[in-house]
Amino acid sequence: MTDVAALAGLRVLVVEDEMMVSMLIEDMLSDMGCQVVGPASRLDEAVELAKGAEIDCAVLDVNLGGQPIFPLADILREQGVPFAFATGYGDAGLRDTDRGAPVLQKPFREGDLARVLGELRARVA
């Protein structure tokens, strides 16, 4: 079980193209005391945030309106920013390079998000 108090102040980039899902993730993060960065619903927005905003970790929708999120995953990996994928496809929708990254299987609950954020938090320098 993740200590939710340990997540307070964590700056989380949220990349999600479904408005209702994005709002739900934002609410969950706020309830845990995290700071939401974004959210971004398009890849270009997300890349700008990743390059300019202070972030500790990210939650990435794998498919943004038919556009894969992998270019952003590569940027975050180069920056040393840990991230998790949010997808309805599980590991099946990931590249070989991304296998082993935390995956939030949609739909997910706040406890699932807290657990994954705990994993990401452990990777934040």
Side-chain angles (χ1 to χ4, degrees), residues 62 70 85 87-96 98-100 103 105:
V62 172
F70 303 126
F85 292 107
T87 178
Y89 304 108
D91 282 346
L94 301 181
R95 307 174 295 180
D96 287 342
D98 299 310
R99 299 222 187 266
V103 175
Q105 178 73 38

Side-chain angles (χ1 to χ4, degrees), residues 30-41:
S30 293
D31 288 349
M32 290 183 253
C34 298
Q35 296 177 25
V36 175
V37 179
S41 61

Side-chain angles (χ1 to χ4, degrees), residues 21-72:
V21 175
S22 180
M23 290 170 58
L24 180 62
I25 294 170
E26 289 176 70
D27 287 347
M28 289 179 190
L29 290 171
S30 293
D31 288 349
M32 290 183 253
C34 298
Q35 296 177 25
V36 175
V37 179
S41 61
R42 295 187 334 263
L43 184 59
D44 60 334
E45 290 176 317
V47 167
E48 286 298 314
L49 286 169
K51 290 182 176 180
E54 289 188 40
I55 57 175
D56 297 312
C57 60
V59 176
L60 311 176
D61 182 2
V62 172
N63 184 336
L64 295 177
Q67 188 172 26
I69 196 67
F70 303 126
L72 177 61

Side-chain angles (χ1 to χ4, degrees), residues 1-2 4 28 32 104 108-117:
M1 181 112 183
T2 300
V4 175
M28 289 179 190
M32 290 183 253
L104 284 162
F108 54 86
R109 297 181 179 165
E110 189 168 320
D112 301 322
L113 180 58
R115 176 186 48 77
V116 167
L117 288 176

